[in-house]
Amino acid sequence: MSSASGPFRLSDFDFELPPELIAQHPAAERSGSRLLDGTHTPPVDRIFRELPSLLRPGDLLVFNDTRVIKARLLGAKSTGGAVEALVERVLPNHEVLVHLRASKSPKAGAVVRFASGDGSSHFEAEMLGRGGPEDSLFHLRFPSEPFALIERHGHVPLPPYITHADDAEDERRYQTVFAAKPGAAAAPTAALHFDEGVLAALRERGVGSASVTLHVGAGTFQPVRTDNIAEHKMHSEWFEVPQATVDAIAATKAAGGRVVSVGTTTLRALESAALGGTLQAGSRDTDIFITPGFDFRVVDVLVTNFHLPKSTLLMLVSAFAGYEPVMALYRHAVAQRYRFFSYGDAMLLERTP
């Protein structure tokens, strides 16, 4: 194992996870999931609806208001070969960038037909070629407005470790209660635990709220393939930090309150917007890679789910709350049979000095 002062390797972020702890369905109630309170030593096992009592009047919760689209499309090439597409980004002029799975990738000019789940309707898309960062994605043109076509013909883009086909429960629960701006290919999962009761209790406690938008991409599940984590190239995601959120954060910090990030996607947006030294409003792409040693400028407290072994998100939370404390929390979570990943339980972390 690497020391805190030495370089970390991919193997440092591995841990044993019994497969049965990977949550396949959400908890019966959003706020009924468990919450591992890592702000105490030893940690405290709680229920998520207790979160308001753990925050202070004057704190500011920042949410990611992205909306998950039905980004998974199933279809076929004109030759009959099956095609599976995952929409990564919607562009102007009815164009999209997608991840594509096919026995043989269609070439520019080819037509791909995507069908609805019940087969009652379909649409045809034209292959324009490769696109995206380092031409890692495929560039398609849809015949009309992409969001409408995706909503009618697509499937909920459940993560690869969830083994059932998407259904009505997933349409409702793989989406936050405050989702507003469509564009995500994966949910900001820490926010899935919030319901109207928790939000009302937070307001009553005097905890403020603000929002950012980061359209979570499928690259969030991209594995790290090199043991030297410094060699890993992060995927790119679009984010926006409104001026109102910048102002709310400045007022919170001036009054001695804490900025509480709901999820790693919100944290990535805020810390990306502060890479110049101060938090700046605006929108752009980010490929920020947060590993131990990162200098956090904005976020003080983090609400997050449990992440995959060897993942960039496990590296992020280790950077935020300390490598040894985080790995100890993960060992506790496994021993206490917490539920892991997107539909799993959550934990509360404070930033280490």
Side-chain angles (χ1 to χ4, degrees):
M1 182 177 66
S2 305
S3 69
S5 59
F8 282 87
R9 312 295 295 187
L10 179 61
S11 53
D12 294 326
F13 298 93
D14 198 9
F15 63 92
E16 290 293 327
L17 180 66
E20 64 271 19
L21 297 187
I22 300 174
Q24 295 296 314
H25 297 274
E29 297 179 63
R30 289 180 185 267
S31 59
S33 52
R34 298 169 74 189
L35 176 67
L36 178 55
D37 182 358
T39 66
H40 293 79
T41 304
V44 182
D45 300 309
R46 302 184 185 275
I47 302 299
F48 193 85
R49 64 175 62 96
E50 297 178 55
L51 178 67
S53 69
L54 306 178
L55 302 181
R56 306 168 189 163
D59 285 346
L60 179 72
L61 274 168
V62 186
F63 297 97
N64 182 1
D65 65 4
T66 188
R67 184 172 187 84
V68 180
I69 59 176
K70 292 183 179 179
R72 183 169 174 255
L73 296 167
L74 303 178
K77 297 179 289 185
S78 57
T79 57
V83 171
E84 179 178 339
L86 187 65
V87 177
E88 179 75 14
R89 188 168 301 197
V90 175
L91 306 172
N93 304 316
H94 299 167
E95 296 175 13
V96 297
L97 293 175
V98 304
H99 302 267
L100 197 70
R101 292 174 59 184
S103 57
K104 188 175 182 181
S105 300
K107 292 182 168 50
V111 172
V112 180
R113 172 180 285 201
F114 294 110
S116 59
D118 60 6
S120 62
S121 62
H122 70 272
F123 70 92
E124 293 183 343
E126 178 189 0
M127 175 64 67
L128 301 178
R130 303 300 291 255
E134 300 178 352
D135 283 343
S136 59
L137 302 171
F138 288 85
H139 192 180
L140 295 173
R141 180 184 291 118
F142 285 3
S144 59
E145 204 283 310
F147 286 121
L149 289 170
I150 292 165
E151 179 62 28
R152 182 174 181 183
H153 297 89
H155 295 261
V156 180
L158 295 175
Y161 46 75
I162 291 179
T163 56
H164 67 267
D166 64 306
D167 56 24
E169 178 189 52
D170 299 307
E171 284 195 39
R172 183 172 59 91
R173 294 296 300 276
Y174 196 63
Q175 192 81 267
T176 67
V177 297
F178 41 76
K181 299 176 182 175
T189 57
L192 295 178
H193 305 287
F194 287 82
D195 56 23
E196 295 301 338
V198 169
L199 294 173
L202 288 163
R203 289 191 294 269
E204 291 171 8
R205 187 160 175 81
V207 176
S209 65
S211 65
V212 299
T213 306
L214 184 142
H215 290 323
V216 193
T220 190
F221 305 111
Q222 177 182 327
V224 180
R225 295 186 171 88
T226 172
D227 196 46
N228 180 0
I229 62 174
E231 296 175 358
H232 177 68
K233 173 63 176 172
M234 281 291 286
H235 61 289
S236 180
E237 294 169 317
W238 181 89
F239 76 93
E240 179 177 22
V241 177
Q243 185 62 51
T245 297
V246 173
D247 295 342
I249 288 172
T252 296
K253 288 187 175 287
R258 301 174 300 173
V259 174
V260 183
S261 174
V262 178
T264 56
T265 62
T266 297
L267 184 148
R268 292 184 75 236
L270 291 174
E271 297 296 341
S272 294
L275 284 176
T278 58
L279 184 63
Q280 299 289 325
S283 62
R284 60 179 175 84
D285 278 18
T286 180
D287 60 358
I288 191 172
F289 186 18
I290 297 176
T291 58
F294 182 84
D295 181 18
F296 291 90
R297 294 182 170 93
V298 182
V299 177
D300 303 302
V301 179
L302 175 65
V303 181
T304 183
N305 278 22
F306 295 94
H307 304 292
L308 278 71
K310 298 184 178 180
S311 65
T312 59
L313 297 180
L314 180 53
M315 296 170 195
L316 182 156
V317 295
S318 297
F320 185 80
Y323 172 77
E324 292 289 357
V326 164
M327 298 309 288
L329 286 169
Y330 270 67
R331 289 191 293 271
H332 176 94
V334 170
Q336 297 300 315
R337 311 293 289 177
Y338 276 72
R339 302 166 75 245
F340 275 68
F341 307 158
S342 293
Y343 275 152
D345 298 313
M347 63 177 170
L348 183 68
L349 301 171
E350 285 183 322
R351 176 166 51 86
T352 56

